[in-house]
Amino acid sequence: MVPLWRRRRRRRGRRRPAVAAALSLAVALAACGTADQAYLDGGPRPETEFTPRIGLLLPDTHTARWETFDRPLFEAKVLQLCPGCAVEYANAQGGVATQKAQVESMITKGVDVLVLDPVDARALSSSVRKADRAGVPVVSYDRLAEGPVSGYVSFDGRQIGRIQGKALLTAMGPAADGGQIVMVNGDPADPNAAALERGALDVLRGKVRIGKSYDTDRWRPEIAHTDMTGAVAALGAGNIDGVYAANDGLAGGAIASMKANFIRPLPPVTGQDADLSAIRRILVGEQYMTVYKPFGPQAEAAAAMAVALGRGDPLDAVAPHVAGDGTGRRVPAVLLTPVPVTAATIGDTVVRDGMYTVARICTPEYASACAKAGLTV
């Protein structure tokens, strides 16, 4: 017997233009930073619309952004677009088997759509196919899962890698001409990590020597620490002119290792995600830069996709781009623009956008560095 919730989805019929237009407006204005006004001011709420149950599955807790920004922003936008919608949430804590079980549980609970950031894009492909067979569309969040996903929301990983590579060359100065770097890349199971590395190499190849290059299982900072310690031992403490770190967690692990090995001054180090700890390291000169990916527009676009799919609407009104899934399929997508952040631009990026307040960044320990950067409470 087909469950009632599944029959209800099948009966929802054709797309409702007014709802699709409102969702499109919400996503477009989110990218401009005014999403909070879009749906409320754009017309009457669809009070009689079907209110789907939406599953949100995030990959881990050691990356600060998931619990601090993505989850609450996503949940808030879903409730704004669809006041009666329910969000079921689970975090895989970095475990592939755990996330597979969570997908199974969400299907069994009867969610109408899944938003999935896969721990391992390839390993979760069977779960994506299982959801598809059950009639549950999947929105791939931040990382593009393999399998029949219905939508994708992220940033261009190769572009981020290029931004990081260019920043590293700038920070290295004269050493950018033939100097030696260490590359601390992300998890090889994450397609974003491969895109980041390709983008960085687009810029770095032929200009610097890559003394050591590491892939970091599950993006674990402690593994980056161990690998960086090995690089220092192999290359020599005075022979590292720069460090390409794919995200801020890896940057933190690499920096801690170099400090433990008494490397002074530290070579320039890249990052990504604009973690609070990274912003503070940038202020005191331990990390050169990070890449800020405005989480609000990303989470809000995923929420708009989830509500549309949960109601049976197509994504053409809310997903202006397409992305290749590696099999030749073209997936409706929202691809957002990353922003580089250095000490000189903290105020014009993460502070201006409300990600952090100056008071939160500039605790007494960082007061003098904040003053030097022009950040005052």
Side-chain angles (χ1 to χ4, degrees), residues 216-263:
T216 313
D217 184 49
R218 292 172 295 162
W219 297 88
R220 301 295 297 193
E222 61 270 26
I223 297 176
H225 186 288
T226 299
D227 287 341
M228 194 68 215
T229 300
V232 172
L235 302 176
N239 297 319
I240 298 172
D241 299 304
V243 177
Y244 169 82
N247 79 354
D248 290 334
L250 304 185
I255 289 167
S257 169
M258 289 188 287
K259 290 169 69 176
N261 281 280
F262 306 103
I263 295 179

Side-chain angles (χ1 to χ4, degrees), residues 35 40 50 53 109 143 168 182 193 204 259 271 278 310 326 331-333 337:
L40 292 175
F50 174 69
R53 296 177 69 188
K109 287 179 180 178
R143 303 165 184 168
L168 184 59
V182 174
L204 298 172
K259 290 169 69 176
V331 179
T337 303

Side-chain angles (χ1 to χ4, degrees), residues 164 167-173 175-176 180-182 228 240-245 251 254-255 258 263 265-271 285-289:
Q164 293 169 318
L168 184 59
L169 292 179
T170 297
M172 289 172 65
Q180 182 165 246
I181 70 166
V182 174
M228 194 68 215
I240 298 172
D241 299 304
V243 177
Y244 169 82
I255 289 167
M258 289 188 287
I263 295 179
L266 291 168
V269 181
T270 65
E286 292 181 347
Q287 182 172 327
Y288 176 66
M289 63 83 70

Side-chain angles (χ1 to χ4, degrees), residues 87-325:
V87 177
E88 302 278 347
Y89 173 70
N91 190 298
Q93 305 286 338
V96 170
T98 299
Q99 194 167 61
K100 285 184 173 182
Q102 289 169 347
V103 172
E104 292 260 10
S105 176
M106 292 283 184
I107 295 171
T108 300
K109 287 179 180 178
V111 300
D112 295 284
V113 60
L114 272 175
V115 177
L116 170 69
D117 187 340
V119 173
D120 182 320
R122 179 168 297 175
L124 265 293
S125 62
S126 60
S127 298
V128 173
R129 290 193 297 271
K130 187 169 294 185
D132 182 65
R133 288 194 298 270
V136 181
V138 174
V139 175
S140 200
Y141 188 73
D142 201 65
R143 303 165 184 168
L144 183 55
E146 294 187 10
V149 299
S150 297
Y152 177 48
V153 181
S154 191
F155 294 79
D156 185 334
R158 193 159 184 169
Q159 182 184 4
I160 293 172
R162 292 190 189 106
I163 288 171
Q164 293 169 318
K166 289 176 183 177
L168 184 59
L169 292 179
T170 297
M172 289 172 65
D177 184 12
Q180 182 165 246
I181 70 166
V182 174
M183 294 191 73
V184 185
N185 303 303
D187 186 348
D190 180 351
N192 281 357
L196 291 165
E197 184 179 4
R198 285 196 301 271
L201 289 174
D202 288 343
V203 176
L204 298 172
R205 189 180 284 116
K207 295 182 180 177
V208 295
R209 290 176 292 121
I210 300 170
K212 289 289 183 180
S213 182
Y214 302 96
D215 293 330
T216 313
D217 184 49
R218 292 172 295 162
W219 297 88
R220 301 295 297 193
E222 61 270 26
I223 297 176
H225 186 288
T226 299
D227 287 341
M228 194 68 215
T229 300
V232 172
L235 302 176
N239 297 319
I240 298 172
D241 299 304
V243 177
Y244 169 82
N247 79 354
D248 290 334
L250 304 185
I255 289 167
S257 169
M258 289 188 287
K259 290 169 69 176
N261 281 280
F262 306 103
I263 295 179
R264 298 289 189 277
L266 291 168
V269 181
T270 65
Q272 177 199 180
D273 287 335
D275 290 351
L276 181 58
S277 58
I279 296 298
R280 289 171 172 164
R281 287 195 299 266
I282 290 169
L283 282 169
V284 298
E286 292 181 347
Q287 182 172 327
Y288 176 66
M289 63 83 70
T290 186
V291 177
Y292 167 45
K293 301 184 297 185
F295 305 135
Q298 185 180 13
E300 290 168 2
M305 277 191 180
V307 171
L309 287 168
R311 287 173 169 163
D313 295 327
L315 293 182
D316 54 338
V318 298
H321 308 113
V322 292
D325 68 351

